[in-house]
Structure formats: structure tokens, C-alpha cells
Amino acid sequence: MSARSDSQEAKTKPITPRDILARKGGQPIVCLTAYATHVARRVDSHAELLLVGDSLWMVLYGHETTLGCDLDTMIRHGAAVTRGAARACVVVDLPFGSYQESPVQAYRAAARVLAETGCAAVKLEGGREMAETIAFLVARGIPVLAHVGLTPQSVRGFGGFRAQGRTEAEAEAILADAKAVEAAGAFAVVVEGTVEEVAREVTRAIGIPTIGIGASPACDGQILVTEDMVGLSSDWRPSFVKVYADLGADLAAAAAAYAEDVRERRFPAREQTYGAQKRK
């Protein structure tokens, strides 16, 4: 094999959960959400991990929480993202109600996700209460990305989307949760909506990478919802989001220009129509 083909293979070799685990304490891990093939293709070369989050239930479908999302929806979008990603480690969320009942239920759901999407791993929410389930899955060959702190599937129990770790009891609970998912075999853990000092302490205390969202720059990686980052989400966005482009405004402007061209009969022009063949 030539040096050039070796280089090409290195560029497209998929990143695995084991590779993510090995990044602990190293260069920060870049993570983004993706819900569709075309988005995955655009961001794949820039991110180490693409999460097909159940946040799609809110971002794409307009619901107020993630709670109504089902396994079939996650599989459909997970397969779409996997088709578009050549390099990034694709992880698919297990939706609410598909894994909390028992480790066996979680295994059945996770096995479907891996088999039907081709993704590298699944993500589930919860700390100490889900440690047994994480260990059950990992022992059966299913890599798990854990999720502690603010867990959106438990939003009703939290009393809304509010930052966690503000009290000593909350901080201790988050740290205990992170240690529990590490001991259970998770290859990394998302730390969401958590007071900065607490997220920093969690990152120091465990030996698996922490992926922050509304957490701390000290985390081993960061993740944002892509639609939030590029201005395609709703008018409201979390305070921790940095907007890198305003594609929402660009889309509205493009739609307005298109509408004007249609009404003034400027579109389609000759170059957007097919020429008729001469009849015999």
C-alpha cells in the first residue's frame, strides 16, 4: 500500500469508543449533534464524536421535552447519520422508556440500535441508578456513553431545565454518579447543565473523558446541538450556547428572495427549464 493510500485510510478510519476513552486528559474532544445524513457529511471531518440525541424530538419536531421520542425514531435518524459519517464516532441516544425498566430491556433496545443503525455506541441518562444497566450492556459488547448532571429525560423530576450542582448535596450526587458510571464501564460521560466548579471537580476525579455541555472548559470535550450553534433552532437558546453562524436568518432571506422571484415570474428562468426537442 502506498504512503498516500495509508494517509487516506488514516483520515477515514472510524473513531471508536476506545479511541475516545484514550483521549482522557489530552486534546479536547470535539462533539456535535447530528440528526440527518447531510449534516453528518458536513461536520464529520471536524468532530470526533457525533451524537444522535433524542434532543431531535425538540429541535426537529418542535416538542417541549424529549420524553415523547421513541426507539423507532432514534433508529431512523441514527441510520441516516451513520450513512453520512465516515470518520466520527456515532453514538445514538436510547430514548425515555426504552431502557429504565431493566438491564434486559436496555439490552434489547441497544442491540436494535447498533444492529439497525451501524452506530458505534449508545448513550443513556442516569448515574448510580443506571450503573447496573451500563455494566450489563458493556459486558455484552455494547459501548455506553453515560450522561449525568442535568438529564433532560428527568426534567419533570428536576422541576424544569435548571443547572445542577448548586448545593453541596447536588454536587456530591453528581460526583457519585460520575464515579458510578466509570466503575460500570462507560467509555465517557456527558456532564450537562452543571455548575462549573462541580464539572471541573468531576473531570479531575474520574478516569474517563467528560463531555461538557453547559459545564466547564476543563472537561475533556465539549458538545453542542448543531442547530443551536448555527442559528437554526428556535428563538430561545440556552445561555451556554455560542452561535457561530446565523443560518436561520440566511434561510429566511433566501426564502424571501425566492418568493419575490416566483411572484414576479423571474423564476424559473430559461436556465432552470428544459429545452424542448424539435418534433419530427
Side-chain angles (χ1 to χ4, degrees), residues 239-251:
S239 60
F240 56 76
V241 172
K242 181 176 180 179
V243 180
Y244 288 82
D246 195 354
L247 301 190
D250 290 344
L251 177 58

Side-chain angles (χ1 to χ4, degrees), residues 50-245:
L50 293 181
L51 174 64
V52 188
D54 59 359
S55 51
L56 64 83
W57 199 242
M58 301 170 68
V59 175
L60 298 186
Y61 293 97
H63 296 283
E64 292 186 357
T65 72
T66 64
L67 298 181
C69 193
D70 59 83
L71 192 61
D72 287 340
T73 298
M74 294 307 306
I75 289 172
R76 183 164 59 252
H77 286 274
V81 170
T82 302
R83 286 193 293 271
R87 173 181 173 272
C89 180
V90 178
V91 180
V92 177
D93 263 347
L94 295 183
F96 179 72
S98 70
Y99 64 92
Q100 290 94 338
E101 183 179 344
S102 69
V104 172
Q105 182 203 32
Y107 177 78
R108 288 173 180 160
R112 272 197 67 195
V113 169
L114 263 66
E116 296 180 37
T117 70
C119 71
V122 298
K123 182 172 79 64
L124 56 80
E125 296 181 8
R128 287 159 292 174
E129 75 278 14
M130 296 309 304
E132 179 186 358
T133 294
I134 293 171
F136 190 89
L137 296 180
V138 171
R140 287 155 181 80
I142 297 178
V144 176
L145 173 62
H147 186 153
V148 302
L150 173 60
T151 47
Q153 292 178 11
S154 303
V155 64
R156 290 178 179 163
F158 287 138
F161 293 97
R162 66 177 187 85
Q164 302 297 300
R166 294 191 183 280
T167 68
E168 185 174 348
E170 285 182 354
E172 290 176 353
I174 293 169
L175 181 58
D177 285 341
K179 289 180 176 179
V181 300
E182 176 191 15
F187 68 88
V189 56
V190 172
V191 181
E192 180 173 357
T194 298
V195 170
E196 196 278 332
E197 309 92 88
V198 177
R200 185 179 292 269
E201 181 181 358
V202 167
T203 300
R204 284 197 301 260
I206 63 175
I208 60 175
T210 55
I211 308 299
I213 178 167
S216 171
C219 288
D220 298 293
Q222 301 294 330
I223 187 166
L224 283 178
V225 171
T226 299
E227 280 77 0
D228 288 344
M229 183 190 71
V230 298
L232 280 175
S233 55
S234 62
D235 292 335
W236 178 87
R237 66 177 61 94
S239 60
F240 56 76
V241 172
K242 181 176 180 179
V243 180
Y244 288 82

Side-chain angles (χ1 to χ4, degrees), residues 30-51:
V30 178
C31 312
L32 285 168
T33 63
Y35 312 131
T37 304
H38 68 285
V39 173
R41 285 175 178 159
R42 292 290 185 181
V43 303
D44 178 58
S45 63
H46 304 290
E48 283 76 55
L49 187 150
L50 293 181
L51 174 64

